[in-house]
Amino acid sequence: QDAQNKYNELVSQGTIGGLTEQIASQQKVVESVKVSLQEAQTKYNTVKGQFDEATNKINDLEAQITVQQSKVDALSAQLATSEAAMQEASEALNNAQQAYDAATDETAKAELESQLAAAQTNLTAATEKYNTANAELNNENEILSSLQGNLETVKSENQTAIDAYNEAQSILAQAQQDKVTADNQLASFQQSLEATKASIAQAEKDVAAKKDLLDAAKKSTEELTKLV
């Protein structure tokens, strides 16, 4: 009787019917999130192409800027060296001029005049070198500024594509998570259904076994009664 009661209880609970309905409903959810995932993937693939193109442009310009900045830095150092050399040549010329002006001996003055001319030549050469370096630095700075301006323009022009990619990436990640959650829930319902079916099958076996025992006992009693 206990086995029969357990079996009746399992069947009367309507667990199988309820789980079957849940599974059918969850399968619809799985199909829905699958469609959403496919749509999110398609959108992502579309905007990723535009994003990659924008990113390549930006990366290319940033690489050019890095190279150009190195040129500017090197020329700045070169200009500082040229300026120091020009300053040194200017001081040497001043010293030579003062010595020449102070000299009274004609022989000494003639020698100092030669030194003065050499100092002037050195200053002229140092000044030309400085001017050349300065002009080159100004030119490279203009190129650097142009590249930086181009970078800002490209970033601005492609901001929409970048924003669209970031949004699509976020939506895709959420859709992937939703799909995993829906699949896991469906699997859980299916496992519960199989476990319930197994419990009912076992209960049926228990009822059958108890019935066999009762039948055997009843038969034995009848045979004993006949013998009496």
Side-chain angles (χ1 to χ4, degrees), residues 1-77:
Q1 187 63 38
D2 289 342
Q4 183 66 50
N5 289 340
K6 183 177 180 182
Y7 172 78
N8 292 340
E9 181 183 355
L10 284 170
V11 174
S12 65
Q13 287 175 350
T15 308
I16 290 181
L19 284 170
T20 301
E21 289 180 4
Q22 285 181 311
I23 287 172
S25 175
Q26 188 61 26
Q27 283 174 331
K28 291 180 181 178
V29 173
V30 169
E31 286 303 313
S32 176
V33 295
K34 182 179 179 181
V35 171
S36 296
L37 176 58
Q38 289 172 339
E39 291 175 349
Q41 186 68 59
T42 298
K43 177 65 175 177
Y44 173 82
N45 292 342
T46 299
V47 298
K48 188 176 187 303
Q50 298 168 346
F51 172 78
D52 287 344
E53 184 179 350
T55 301
N56 288 338
K57 289 180 182 178
I58 290 172
N59 290 343
D60 182 56
L61 281 168
E62 287 179 341
Q64 291 182 53
I65 287 172
T66 298
V67 172
Q68 189 62 26
Q69 185 65 61
S70 296
K71 286 183 180 180
V72 168
D73 292 343
L75 285 170
S76 295

Side-chain angles (χ1 to χ4, degrees), residues 17-18 23 31 89 91 104-105 121 131 141 174-175 188 198 212 225-226:
I23 287 172
E31 286 303 313
E91 291 175 1
T104 54
D105 181 74
T121 300
N131 289 339
N141 265 323
Q174 185 60 55
S188 176
D212 290 342
T225 301
K226 289 178 180 179

Side-chain angles (χ1 to χ4, degrees), residues 93-109:
L93 177 61
N94 288 336
N95 292 336
Q97 184 67 56
Q98 289 175 7
Y100 177 81
D101 292 342
T104 54
D105 181 74
E106 290 300 323
T107 302
K109 200 154 189 155

